[in-house]
Amino acid sequence: MKQFAVIGLGRFGSSVARTLARLGHQVIAIDSDEAKVEALMNEVTTAIQADARDEEALKAAGIRNVDVAIVAIGENVEANILVTLIVKEMGIKCVVAKALNDLHGKVLAKIGADKVVFPERDMGVRVAHTLASGNVLEHIDLSPEYSIVEIVAPTRVAGKTLGQLNLRAQHGVSVMAIKRNDKILAAPGADDVVEEGDIMVLVGRNKALERLQES
Amino acid sequence: MKQFAVIGLGRFGSSVARTLARLGHQVIAIDSDEAKVEALMNEVTTAIQADARDEEALKAAGIRNVDVAIVAIGENVEANILVTLIVKEMGIKCVVAKALNDLHGKVLAKIGADKVVFPERDMGVRVAHTLASGNVLEHIDLSPEYSIVEIVAPTRVAGKTLGQLNLRAQHGVSVMAIKRNDKILAAPGADDVVEEGDIMVLVGRNKALERLQES
Ligand SMILES: Nc1ncnc2c1ncn2[C@@H]1O[C@H](COP(=O)(O)OP(=O)(O)OP(=O)(O)O)[C@@H](O)[C@H]1O
Ligand SMILES: Nc1ncnc2c1ncn2[C@@H]1O[C@H](COP(=O)(O)OP(=O)(O)OP(=O)(O)O)[C@@H](O)[C@H]1O
Ligand SMILES: [Ca+2]
Ligand SMILES: [Ca+2]
Ligand SMILES: [Ca+2]
Ligand SMILES: [Ca+2]
């Protein structure tokens, strides 16, 4: 179990705080807006209403003892930067800060943020990849050329075994898992059959993955 | 090549529009804020300043002909819902709408949105998983019990072959890929060696993946 502080409980921050608490960690959640604090009160260890630019309030909240602080203040760039500076100077080992854009991200890194995140930008990239290739459900870039994708099995592969499809030899694509209803077949073998409606998790070159999705 | 319209060019919408254009698609980008339109002008097919609640303006922009419309208006829930309704009634086959929260998402689905996305919430879940398990770089839920993760190879596995590690037999975990600098080894075999600093892409049960990350 680790100790976390989440400062700024907008859509991103509240989701981070809630998920960490569900994973069994201690979470101190802070926002200047009382409604945001109340909405999360029953889901985290401690929820506190305070302006995070107030160093004394942060200390009183016990922020100094956390392993990781996440600064999820959004549109007020000045507050976001100031709070990142304050928590870093308190000696917190790992400070994660949410940035509005590249320039803001560079400033955050310079003043000591250990990790800078761009939730909207990154999710925009993911959603665009998903929409661009009709039946792709998930997409992870492994490198500029390789990806992992989750696709609905194309009709023409249904009823065949992985051995018959031979995707590895023909396309350089490996099937990492097959999802069927609630079940999951991790690392399936040559004898496993792909059924209609199955979701296949594939790894391979982008070009090869695109070809597979089209057909 | 497909035709897309992106309405609302905040952090999320602008990232979707930019990525779709980079992937080679036609993108009409719309925002009521002129600065947002200008910032994207040179990166998309057409960038238009208009209030998207104005149906005539949308028609003039050629929105009716797109394959997919993404409504990425954020905090003004009323405008978001109204615009989703308008573009859906124009006959666009696939309308994707960004929701603020669950309730908003349900309303969007009810009025005909074909897909509802929660970028901040989903990225909050991802970032929380990453922070909770120190060396996890990426995380995809395959099911409540199975995941794909990208982790920095733990020191104790460095120098060993996958055959020696035998993660499949011992942990039920498969190594889908190994990333080393800019190179990627997809579907590595028993003779492949894990080196210090390698990034391993693993699939398996959550419990087993957590055990691996700790050690
Ligand atoms: N000085 C501050 N101290 C504490 N909380 C703050 C401070 N400034 C802003 N916040 C809180 O941070 C939260 C996130 O800020 P904001 O809504 O501007 O960001 P956002 O990027 O739009 O958020 P999201 O997209 O995640 O919903 C808000 O709930 C806001 O009340
Ligand atoms: N009626 C409208 N017509 C066109 N654009 C609009 C309309 N209402 C809002 N927008 C634009 O939508 C964009 C996104 O809205 P907003 O900033 O409220 O959402 P957000 O969820 O905070 O965005 P993000 O987190 O992605 O930055 C803004 O650039 C805004 O100008
Ligand atoms: Ca906000
Ligand atoms: Ca946002
Ligand atoms: Ca905004
Ligand atoms: Ca916002």
Side-chain angles (χ1 to χ4, degrees):
Chain A
M1 202 189 63
K2 285 198 233 177
Q3 296 203 300
F4 292 89
V6 180
I7 302 170
L9 307 173
R11 289 162 275 175
F12 175 70
S14 62
S15 174
V16 171
R18 185 177 289 118
T19 305
L20 288 170
R22 283 187 191 162
L23 290 170
H25 297 282
Q26 284 217 295
V27 179
I28 303 172
I30 297 176
D31 201 293
S32 48
D33 178 349
E34 193 163 353
K36 299 284 174 69
V37 175
E38 272 170 20
L40 220 66
M41 210 161 53
N42 297 322
E43 302 190 67
V44 297
T45 318
T46 326
I48 294 166
Q49 193 241 313
D51 186 323
R53 289 170 293 191
D54 176 355
E55 192 167 346
E56 296 310 313
L58 292 186
K59 282 186 186 156
I63 297 288
R64 268 183 302 186
N65 306 316
V66 302
D67 301 297
V68 183
I70 298 104
V71 180
I73 294 173
E75 282 156 44
N76 186 341
V77 172
E78 204 184 312
N80 172 301
I81 291 175
L82 189 59
V83 172
T84 300
L85 204 61
I86 292 173
V87 294
K88 197 61 210 173
E89 289 197 339
M90 276 182 175
I92 295 169
K93 268 241 185 81
C94 179
V95 175
V96 180
K98 164 173 166 161
L100 269 185
N101 54 42
D102 279 342
L103 182 61
H104 180 196
K106 278 180 195 148
V107 173
L108 288 170
K110 210 152 222 167
I111 63 168
D114 299 284
K115 190 182 164 97
V116 177
V117 294
F118 302 84
E120 289 93 353
R121 187 193 70 186
D122 291 354
M123 198 50 89
V125 172
R126 296 179 75 84
V127 168
H129 274 280
T130 305
L131 295 175
S133 48
N135 58 351
V136 174
L137 309 173
E138 283 271 16
H139 179 109
I140 295 186
D141 286 323
L142 286 178
S143 75
E145 282 185 26
Y146 278 86
S147 301
I148 294 173
V149 295
E150 243 189 67
I151 67 166
V152 180
T155 327
R156 60 170 185 80
V157 312
K160 299 201 175 129
T161 65
L162 293 183
Q164 287 169 329
L165 291 173
N166 204 8
L167 298 178
R168 180 118 179 243
Q170 293 200 4
H171 299 272
V173 165
S174 300
V175 182
M176 292 154 31
I178 294 174
K179 293 163 80 169
R180 189 172 300 152
N181 305 322
D182 284 347
K183 272 181 249 160
I184 181 126
L185 186 63
D191 294 340
D192 288 309
V193 178
V194 180
E195 293 182 8
E196 184 135 17
D198 279 0
I199 290 167
M200 303 171 80
V201 185
L202 308 172
V203 58
R205 256 182 215 282
N206 294 339
K207 287 263 169 280
L209 292 171
E210 276 163 29
R211 261 200 310 277
L212 267 177
Q213 291 150 32
E214 279 161 14
S215 41
Chain B
M1 203 191 60
K2 287 198 231 176
Q3 296 202 300
F4 292 89
V6 180
I7 303 169
L9 307 173
R11 289 162 274 176
F12 174 70
S14 63
S15 174
V16 171
R18 184 176 290 118
T19 305
L20 287 170
R22 284 188 189 160
L23 290 170
H25 297 283
Q26 284 217 295
V27 178
I28 303 171
I30 296 176
D31 201 293
S32 49
D33 178 348
E34 193 163 352
K36 300 284 173 69
V37 175
E38 274 172 18
L40 221 64
M41 212 160 53
N42 297 322
E43 302 190 68
V44 297
T45 318
T46 326
I48 294 167
Q49 193 240 315
D51 186 324
R53 288 170 294 190
D54 176 355
E55 193 167 348
E56 296 311 313
L58 292 185
K59 281 185 187 157
I63 297 289
R64 269 183 301 187
N65 305 318
V66 303
D67 301 296
V68 183
I70 297 105
V71 181
I73 294 173
E75 281 155 44
N76 186 341
V77 172
E78 205 182 310
N80 172 300
I81 291 175
L82 189 60
V83 172
T84 301
L85 204 61
I86 291 173
V87 294
K88 197 61 210 174
E89 289 196 339
M90 276 182 176
I92 294 170
K93 266 241 185 82
C94 180
V95 175
V96 180
K98 164 172 164 160
L100 268 186
N101 54 42
D102 280 341
L103 182 62
H104 181 197
K106 278 181 193 146
V107 172
L108 289 169
K110 210 154 223 166
I111 63 169
D114 299 284
K115 191 182 162 97
V116 178
V117 294
F118 302 85
E120 290 93 352
R121 187 193 69 185
D122 292 354
M123 199 48 90
V125 171
R126 296 179 75 85
V127 169
H129 274 280
T130 304
L131 294 175
S133 47
N135 57 352
V136 174
L137 308 173
E138 282 271 17
H139 179 109
I140 293 186
D141 286 322
L142 285 178
S143 76
E145 281 185 29
Y146 278 86
S147 301
I148 294 173
V149 295
E150 242 189 67
I151 67 167
V152 180
T155 327
R156 62 173 182 78
V157 311
K160 299 199 174 131
T161 65
L162 293 183
Q164 288 170 327
L165 290 173
N166 204 8
L167 297 179
R168 180 119 180 244
Q170 293 198 5
H171 300 272
V173 165
S174 302
V175 181
M176 293 155 31
I178 293 174
K179 293 163 80 168
R180 188 173 300 153
N181 305 322
D182 285 346
K183 273 182 248 157
I184 180 128
L185 186 62
D191 294 339
D192 287 310
V193 178
V194 181
E195 292 182 7
E196 184 135 18
D198 279 359
I199 289 167
M200 304 170 79
V201 185
L202 307 171
V203 57
R205 258 182 214 281
N206 294 340
K207 287 262 170 282
L209 293 171
E210 276 163 28
R211 260 199 312 275
L212 268 177
Q213 290 151 32
E214 281 162 12
S215 42

